């Protein structure tokens, strides 16, 4: 079965990203397909490679990057939400005249249409938020 | 069209205090281009999103409430409002923005987009969807 | 269909609204702070028990254990792990998250 996952909250502040990660991992282990993981609202903050959590805590961002690499996941960050919150890849940073970018490996920035497409193409959309 | 699905957007949060209402409206607008069968549900504090008379000048925030009136032009014409949520908040239909659309199957007659529903009807409404988005 | 609730019923009305809007035979999964809705003897326990006549209520075991409330669950609430959550999402035709 094909799943699209929507994540509305950033790391650490809320459990949403943790639950979504555990759900995604369990779905992959059961042989399901993850069509897309879409990061919206403060969920775009899951995509900054500049987080440095304490050593004895989980690294939410790296965990997503690693899962994406292992399973070739499509991790999509909403461009409009990302611009509001200062999440940018090199192209976005350049386009908006910023002096730095911060997108973590395995994520890509794209439009809201990717969420709608996720709803159309997948068998199930599961939303994690606050 | 082969890929038409029934999409329900569930709005249960008030505007301004958090960004969910505004950003969920942005999804509705983008989603309209995908020609799906779209419905909006306003319940709990979500009913405040379509309250009349919003004026954000002094708060210096963007007043996005006029956008709801434009949804009819995007063929988003089915807006369900939970009766109980209105009553709990001391509101009536008259306290909401008058949302309408032009019915192209009825000589472009102007019709009301808002339908008041009970919680039982909401249960049935949810059951008939393919995709339910919440923010 | 599957409904998920992730809010404590003592600070938020999500569980209340959810239980008002579930059809017969639906599944309700309590996750994150939503698992507090499954507490025995709480002020919402009667409403939860009444709902169990028409829907099946589950709680995510990881969240129940994390919060130290495993021995305080209303009888009849089913524990599922993350794999069980995935199974519920797959076997129900859609999922609504009461955020």
């Amino acid at each position: 079965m094909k799943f699209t996952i929507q994540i509305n909250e950033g790391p650490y502040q809320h459990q949403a990203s943790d639950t979504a990660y555990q759900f995604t991992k369990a779905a992959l282990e059961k042989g399901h397909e993850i069509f897309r993981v879409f990061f919206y609202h403060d969920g775009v903050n899951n995509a900054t490679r500049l987080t440095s959590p304490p050593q004895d805590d989980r690294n939410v961002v790296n965990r997503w990057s690693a899962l994406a690499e292992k399973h070739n996941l499509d991790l999509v960050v909403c461009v409009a939400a990302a611009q509001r919150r200062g999440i940018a890849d090199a192209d976005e940073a350049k386009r908006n005249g910023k002096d730095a970018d911060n997108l973590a490996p395995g994520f890509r920035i794209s439009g809201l249409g990717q969420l709608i497409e996720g709803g159309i193409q997948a068998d199930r959309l599961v939303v994690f938020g606050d | 069209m082969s890929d038409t699905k029934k999409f329900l957007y569930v709005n249960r949060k008030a505007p301004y205090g958090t960004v969910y209402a505004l950003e969920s409206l942005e999804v509705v607008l983008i989603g309209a281009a995908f020609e799906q069968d779209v419905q909006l549900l306003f319940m709990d504090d979500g009913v405040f999103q379509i309250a009349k008379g919003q004026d954000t000048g002094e708060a210096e925030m963007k007043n996005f409430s006029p956008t709801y009136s434009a949804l009819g032009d995007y063929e988003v014409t089915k807006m369900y409002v939970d009766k109980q949520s209105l009553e709990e908040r001391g509101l009536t239909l008259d306290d909401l923005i008058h949302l309408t659309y032009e019915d192209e199957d009825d000589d472009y007659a102007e019709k009301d987009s808002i339908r008041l529903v009970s919680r039982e009807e909401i249960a049935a409404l949810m059951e008939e969807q393919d995709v339910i988005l919440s923010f | 269909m599957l409904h998920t609730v992730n809010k404590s019923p003592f600070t938020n009305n999500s569980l209340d609204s959810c239980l008002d809007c579930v059809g017969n035979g639906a599944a309700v999964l309590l996750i994150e702070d939503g698992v507090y809705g499954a507490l025995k003897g709480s002020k919402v326990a009667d409403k939860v028990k009444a709902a169990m006549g028409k829907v099946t209520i589950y709680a995510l075991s990881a969240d129940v254990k994390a919060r130290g409330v495993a021995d305080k669950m209303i009888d009849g609430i089913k524990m599922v792990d993350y794999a069980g959550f995935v199974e519920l999402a797959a076997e129900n035709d859609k999922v609504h998250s009461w955020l």
Side-chain angles (χ1 to χ4, degrees), chain B residues 22-105:
Chain B
L22 168 62
E23 288 190 331
S24 119
L25 187 56
E26 288 178 350
V27 181
V28 175
L29 289 170
I30 298 288
F34 284 75
E35 297 184 356
Q36 303 295 304
D37 183 0
V38 172
Q39 278 105 155
L40 269 60
L41 168 65
F42 298 89
M43 76 179 291
D44 296 319
D45 281 347
V47 299
F48 291 126
Q49 293 180 21
I50 50 172
K52 254 183 206 164
Q54 297 177 36
D55 176 358
T56 58
E58 208 174 318
E60 295 188 4
M61 296 175 86
K62 177 173 163 182
N63 181 355
F64 54 94
S65 65
T67 309
Y68 294 101
S69 302
L71 288 177
D73 300 334
Y74 290 85
E75 291 180 35
V76 177
T77 62
K78 287 171 277 186
M79 319 268 204
Y80 298 90
V81 175
D82 174 40
K83 248 184 285 187
Q84 184 179 324
S85 299
L86 284 182
E87 284 162 13
E88 285 171 354
R89 288 159 182 76
L91 302 176
T92 68
L93 191 55
D94 287 339
D95 296 307
L96 303 182
I97 301 168
H98 187 204
L99 301 175
T100 60
Y101 68 101
E102 290 178 354
D103 188 352
E104 58 183 23
D105 297 327

Side-chain angles (χ1 to χ4, degrees), chain A residues 103-119:
Chain A
L103 196 74
F107 293 84
R108 67 184 178 95
I109 293 181
S110 188
L112 271 175
Q114 300 275 306
L115 171 60
I116 307 294
E117 194 202 14

Side-chain angles (χ1 to χ4, degrees), chain A residues 42-54:
Chain A
D42 274 1
V44 300
N45 291 318
N46 286 288
T48 171
R49 64 168 186 268
L50 299 183
T51 59
S52 316

Side-chain angles (χ1 to χ4, degrees), chain A residues 9 40-41 84 122 130, chain B residues 5 13 20 23 26 134-135:
Chain A
E9 298 300 331
Y40 196 43
H41 301 297
R84 283 193 178 109
D130 180 32
Chain B
K5 283 189 170 182
K13 290 175 181 160
Y20 300 104
E23 288 190 331
E26 288 178 350
S134 49
F135 302 97

Side-chain angles (χ1 to χ4, degrees), chain A residues 1 3 6 8 15-20 22-24 26-27 30 32 123-130, chain C residues 4 6-7 31-33 60 63 67 82-87 89-97 99:
Chain A
M1 183 158 282
F3 287 95
Q6 178 189 328
N8 293 345
Q15 203 188 338
S17 181
D18 291 277
T19 309
Q22 299 296 349
F23 181 95
T24 302
K30 283 183 138 290
H32 295 296
D123 302 303
R124 301 284 183 276
L125 173 79
V126 187
V127 184
F128 297 89
D130 180 32
Chain C
T4 70
N6 72 338
K7 296 292 188 313
I31 65 170
E32 303 170 358
D33 288 351
L60 193 61
D63 289 329
R67 287 159 179 79
Y82 289 107
F85 184 178
V86 170
E87 215 164 289
E91 72 195 20
N92 284 279
D93 63 340
K94 62 194 146 273
V95 184
H96 174 229
S97 308
L99 302 179

Side-chain angles (χ1 to χ4, degrees), chain C residues 4-5 10-11 18 30 32 36 39 54-55 71 82 84 89:
Chain C
T4 70
V5 175
F10 310 111
T11 52
C18 169
L30 306 174
E32 303 170 358
Y36 293 124
L39 286 180
K54 69 169 185 175
V55 301
D71 58 349
Y82 289 107

